[in-house]
Each structure stands twice: as structure tokens, then as C-alpha cells.
Amino acid sequence: MRTDEVVDDSQYLLTGLDAFSEYSLQFFTRSGNYYFYSESRESLSPADLVCHLLLIENDARHRKYAMLLISATNTSHEDVREVATSYGVEDIISPLLTYLRTDGEQSSAQTPPWSEMESLARDYEVEI
């Protein structure tokens, strides 16, 4: 769900780029607040946040941010792949994980030059 309002209800979990701040990744882009509704969950994993972000917007910038969160949190690629399958975004995630695993050696049309990824990681003090 997207809204310009802040939702203060425990069944609505913050997702999208704003949720990355929990992992010390603060971005200066604003496109509203995104929430994931759940009656049974108390939190979202980094793998969930990556998948939600790519469902919200699958462009070059958001793919870089998704890879940055995977690296910043040392999230298991298997965990990301499993969650991506449940959200139906495994085709988007797979080349990103391959790219990270190979330090940019196996790139695709969906991945940036490795130097861009390294620069972004340096800016946010993340080891990739």
C-alpha cells in the first residue's frame, strides 16, 4: 500500500526505501510511504524489503539499492532467492545475485557497471 500519510498500526509494516533506514541506509528520495499489511507478522526481513522494493519500482537505481541492502545485511542469497520466489520476482533477483556473487564479473542488462556499485557501496560504507 502506498500513502502520503504515516500509518501507525502494527499490522501495517513499513517497506520500500524508507524501511532501509533500519539498516543505516538513508536515501533522499521520497515517493510516499509504502506499507505491507500482515495480521501475523511483526517485522519484515531484508529479503522481504528487497523484493518489495523491486515490486514497487524495478529500475536501475532501485536494483542498486536492493543489492546494497543485501550486501549491507549479509543476507543469504538463498534466503533472498526463496523470498523472491514467493513474491514472483525470481527472474528479477537471479541476475542481481549472480552479479553480487561474481563481484560484477557476470553482469546483465539489469546490472550497473561494477565501478558504480563499488562507488555506491563506498558512499554508504557497505562492503560488497
Side-chain angles (χ1 to χ4, degrees), residues 66-93:
M67 290 187 289
L68 192 65
L69 182 63
I70 293 167
S71 296
T73 58
N74 291 314
T75 300
S76 154
H77 289 195
E78 267 314 302
D79 288 347
V80 176
R81 196 176 310 278
E82 182 179 318
V83 173
T85 299
S86 71
Y87 285 112
V89 294
E90 62 274 11
D91 291 345
I92 297 170
I93 290 291

Side-chain angles (χ1 to χ4, degrees), residues 5 7 9-10 16 29-30 34 37 41 45 54 56 69 71-72 80 82 92 96-97 105 107 119:
E5 305 299 319
V7 176
D9 182 321
S10 63
T29 59
R30 290 287 303 157
Y34 288 90
Y37 177 80
R41 297 179 74 174
S45 71
L54 296 173
I56 292 166
L69 182 63
S71 296
V80 176
E82 182 179 318
I92 297 170
L96 304 182
L97 295 176
E105 290 293 319
S107 60
S119 178

Side-chain angles (χ1 to χ4, degrees), residues 36-81:
F36 178 83
Y37 177 80
S38 176
E39 294 179 3
S40 61
R41 297 179 74 174
E42 294 181 16
S43 65
L44 296 172
S45 71
D48 288 311
L49 296 176
V50 164
C51 293
H52 292 177
L53 182 65
L54 296 173
L55 285 167
I56 292 166
E57 187 70 48
N58 177 23
D59 62 11
R61 181 175 53 126
H62 288 85
R63 287 190 297 268
K64 284 192 285 190
Y65 292 158
M67 290 187 289
L68 192 65
L69 182 63
I70 293 167
S71 296
T73 58
N74 291 314
T75 300
S76 154
H77 289 195
E78 267 314 302
D79 288 347
V80 176
R81 196 176 310 278

Side-chain angles (χ1 to χ4, degrees), residues 89-123:
V89 294
E90 62 274 11
D91 291 345
I92 297 170
I93 290 291
S94 186
L96 304 182
L97 295 176
T98 299
Y99 175 82
L100 287 173
R101 183 178 44 77
T102 64
D103 295 333
E105 290 293 319
Q106 290 186 7
S107 60
S108 71
Q110 289 75 38
T111 55
W114 187 246
S115 60
E116 281 184 29
M117 198 62 215
E118 288 177 314
S119 178
L120 182 67
R122 265 192 313 276
D123 290 348

